[in-house]
Structures are given as C-alpha cells and as structure tokens.
Amino acid sequence: MASNYKLERAAREERGRVRSYQARRAVHEHQQKRRVRDNLIYGGGLLVALTLIVIAQVFYFDGGPGTPAPTAASTSTPTPTTTAAAGANTGDVPASTLAEGRTWTGTLTLNDVDLGIELDGALAPQGVSSTISLAQSGFYNGTTCHRLTNGGFFVLQCGDPAGDGSGGPGYSYGPVENAPADNVYPAGTLAMARQGGNGYSMGSQLFVVYDDTTIPSDAGGGYTVLGHVTSGLDELKAQITDAGTADGSGDGAPKVPTTITGITLQ
C-alpha cells in the first residue's frame, strides 16, 4: 500500500511539474507574441506619424510654399511657365498693365537689412503689377515676416498684414506666372506665396528663397517668380535666417522678429 501511495504521489508531482512548465511556456509565448505585436504597432505608428509630418509639410500652403526635400539647383535659367488652372480673380485686382512689361529695380528692407531687388514685369505681369501697387500704396510697411523654414527648404515669408499667414490685401489673383519648369528656386528668388492647389489665391504674401530650394508643383502649378534679390542676401542670412525659428522647429516664426520696414520700386 505504502509503495502504491508513493508511486501515485510521485505521479501527481510529475503531472504538477508538467502543468507548471506548460503554464510558464504559455506565458512566455504570449509575452513573445505581445512584444512582436507591440513592435509592429510602434513601427506602424511611427511610419504613420512620419507620413503625416511629410504630408503636412508638403501641403502646408496657407499662403506659403510646401516643404519638399532639397535638391541641387540647376545652373540654367528656369523656364517661365504659366499655369492655366481653373479659377478666377476675386476682389479689386490691380491691372496687369502696371508692370509695363519691363524690369523694375528697388529695395526691400527687412528690419535694417536692405535687399536689392529686380522684378520682371514681362514674365510676371500680374504678380509684379500687384506688388508695385501694394508697395506704392505703403501696404507693406510694418507688415511682419511670419514664417521661416529651414527643415529641408529655405524661405522667409512676409507681407501678411494679419501676421499669421491668413491675411491679404482684400483681393486674390492668378494664375501662376513665371514658375520654373524644373521646380528649382535658386537662392535669391523672390516669389509669391499661395494656398496649396489654388493658382488663384495669391495676394500680398511673398517669400525670399535664401538657399537653393526645390518646391514641387501641385494642382495649382508652381509659384509665381516675381524676380530676384541682387544684393544683401548674405546679410539677411547672417542677421535673420541663420538664427532659425523661435521654437527651434524647421517651420515657424523667425527667432529674430522681422518686419518689412520699406519697399521701393522704380
């Protein structure tokens, strides 16, 4: 009897050890599967987040250019193009004849940095005419440069009376004029900002490209190139753009508060 009891006890203990081992193994396998699942979720979430960031940069146009990755600038002169996107001017848009089909020279002063500029009234008659009208009326004086980008493309955006990218002169116009066919905007380019996908949303906001930048076209086309900076770009970079943004991001208000203190054209 004692012998049978010992055998039964040993068998029970062995079955208990087997069940305990199986339970530990099941827990281990569950943890392994959970770690794999969590890694997949984390990786997928990270991919989604990065994708959303890229999309937000590329399509953040509320009066401004997108945020594509930079590429080497072409050494050839950009080919002027005009986008025939569907749309219409709104408000009292200045006549495109104000530009007189000629080159206009002058100075765009940001804080105390004087930028020599040339505007091409032949290649961008509507854009240059609007800029001339606003400059001569004093519209730009005192408006801020509300946006600086340096996270893959390099522009300083100015000319919004609201100071946050939402304002304008009370009218909007299009279509896009004189946009480079290769989407390359060399350092010193002076161009018009607009809303994403809308070639008839230009108003008063313009941007200075302070380093070679590629900005892909969208449904609205490219960006109207008014002309270019002929002098003062190095000083602009040293005094304003090199400092980056106020919050340290690649797209935000300039760390150095910047205002258009004057603009003259003749």
Side-chain angles (χ1 to χ4, degrees):
M1 294 288 294
S3 177
N4 290 338
Y5 174 77
K6 290 180 179 180
L7 289 174
E8 291 176 358
R9 181 178 179 183
R12 287 196 301 270
E13 290 176 349
E14 180 63 22
R15 287 195 295 272
R17 285 193 295 271
V18 171
R19 286 194 296 270
S20 178
Y21 169 76
Q22 291 175 336
R24 291 196 302 273
R25 183 172 180 178
V27 170
H28 176 72
E29 290 177 350
H30 175 73
Q31 290 174 337
Q32 285 288 93
K33 291 179 180 178
R34 183 171 182 176
R35 280 194 291 270
V36 171
R37 183 197 65 189
D38 290 346
N39 287 338
L40 288 174
I41 291 174
Y42 173 77
L46 181 60
L47 179 60
V48 170
L50 290 175
T51 301
L52 290 175
I53 289 172
V54 171
I55 291 173
Q57 288 180 329
V58 172
F59 292 101
Y60 171 57
F61 284 99
D62 189 13
T67 313
T71 62
S74 170
T75 56
S76 61
T77 302
T79 302
T81 61
T82 298
T83 301
N89 293 344
T90 62
D92 190 13
V93 180
S96 60
T97 54
L98 289 178
E100 300 176 357
R102 66 178 177 87
T103 298
W104 292 70
T105 61
T107 303
L108 171 63
T109 304
L110 304 180
N111 292 351
D112 59 353
V113 177
D114 289 332
L115 299 177
I117 58 175
E118 284 187 358
L119 306 187
D120 195 328
L123 295 180
Q126 184 61 80
V128 172
S129 292
S130 173
T131 303
I132 292 169
S133 176
L134 294 174
Q136 291 179 344
S137 70
F139 175 91
Y140 281 120
N141 296 341
T143 60
T144 61
C145 296
H146 64 279
R147 185 185 184 200
L148 172 70
T149 66
N150 55 22
F153 76 114
F154 311 95
V155 304
L156 177 65
Q157 188 171 329
C158 311
D160 173 21
D164 60 5
S166 65
Y171 62 79
S172 63
Y173 68 87
V176 172
E177 303 169 303
N178 195 30
D182 58 4
N183 295 324
V184 174
Y185 297 76
T189 298
L190 185 63
M192 290 303 301
R194 63 172 176 79
Q195 296 173 351
N198 186 352
Y200 282 81
S201 60
M202 289 171 282
S204 61
Q205 296 184 46
L206 48 80
F207 61 94
V208 178
V209 180
Y210 62 90
D211 207 347
D212 296 342
T213 296
T214 297
I215 308 176
S217 300
D218 61 16
Y223 295 85
T224 290
V225 175
L226 299 172
H228 61 279
V229 174
T230 59
S231 63
L233 193 62
D234 288 341
E235 188 176 359
L236 175 72
K237 294 170 71 173
Q239 293 197 29
I240 297 174
T241 63
D242 283 354
T245 61
D247 61 4
S249 68
D251 188 338
K255 183 175 183 179
V256 177
T258 305
T259 301
I260 296 178
T261 52
I263 179 170
T264 60
L265 291 167
Q266 61 182 7

